[in-house]
Amino acid sequence: MPDPLVAAGRLVFAYGRERVLDGVDLTVDPGEFVALVGPNGSGKSTLLKLLLGILTPESGTARLLGAPPSGAQARGRLGYVPQRPALSPELPATVHEIVASGRLAGGRWWGGLRRPDRDAVEHAIASVGLAEHTHTPVNELSGGQQQRAFIARAFAIEPELLILDEPTAGVDAASQRLFRDALVHLIDEHGSGVLLVSHELSAVANDVDRVVVLRRHIVFDGPPAELAASGVSLGVHKEDLPLWLEELR
């Protein structure tokens, strides 16, 4: 059996005296689609920072792609979409250039983009509904369109592991469906593992393998059917999951 792409064991972290994570265990296997949910302030973003090596745990272990978190071993194997990607207003880069930078960052910079790279970039842009904006400067797009460009950048890498932090916030329903189709393609065709942090899972409710509910520690980890059996839908009725999560606070 292949090693997990994400393996966190008994992670503990605090900001000063405030303990944010307390003994958190989490795994994501190749080809697995895991949704991480929790109320605001539950530690989701902190957990991602520990997994990515941005923060160091007080105790416990974190391994990413079979090694301790670092930038080197993940290059070209990890796709990451932060909640609010940093974008300089002076940046003149087009959608195509932003998305292509994902292929170049994966170690394909020597000699430029080859035909398979160009095909992957074009497919990624189309998969988020931005084909007509391929040559539009990203700073001329709406906030939702900019987010879709960075999602496409992650897709273009064709990563072994894709981590997304609230990727569809501010993205319209039609684009969320395109996002879902691209995720499923990445999993089915490339065997990628996906860790999705989101309050709203309706677009992927039928595709998620496991839902992990975090509130400083793991309060639920299992298939969506088990959560649904307790009366909580995965946002099919958009208020259900978000309201239930807030009641956990």
Side-chain angles (χ1 to χ4, degrees), residues 5 7 60 65 109-110 116-118 137 156 166 178-179 202 213 220 223 227 230 241:
L5 301 172
L65 297 165
W109 58 271
W110 186 259
D117 300 315
R118 293 193 293 271
E166 298 285 357
L178 288 173
F179 166 75
S202 58
V213 181
F220 176 86
L227 198 58
S230 67
L241 182 64

Side-chain angles (χ1 to χ4, degrees), residues 162-174:
L162 180 61
I163 297 178
L164 307 114
D165 189 1
E166 298 285 357
T168 57
V171 174
D172 61 71

Side-chain angles (χ1 to χ4, degrees), residues 179-200:
F179 166 75
R180 174 266 170 199
D181 292 344
L183 275 185
V184 171
H185 172 82
L186 194 65
I187 295 167
D188 290 347
E189 298 299 320
H190 300 282
S192 303
V194 174
L195 177 60
L196 170 67
V197 177
S198 181
H199 278 84
E200 222 288 63

Side-chain angles (χ1 to χ4, degrees), residues 87 91-100 125 129-143 145-146 148-150:
L87 181 64
L91 183 68
T94 65
V95 168
H96 185 275
E97 289 167 339
I98 288 290
V99 177
I125 293 171
L130 287 179
E132 64 184 31
H133 295 290
T134 295
H135 300 294
T136 301
V138 175
N139 58 14
E140 294 181 9
L141 300 178
S142 69
Q145 289 172 325
Q146 289 179 2
R148 284 152 56 190
F150 282 96

Side-chain angles (χ1 to χ4, degrees), residues 76-95:
R77 302 174 63 199
L78 171 68
Y80 172 53
V81 180
Q83 192 168 15
R84 296 178 184 85
L87 181 64
S88 169
E90 292 81 23
L91 183 68
T94 65
V95 168

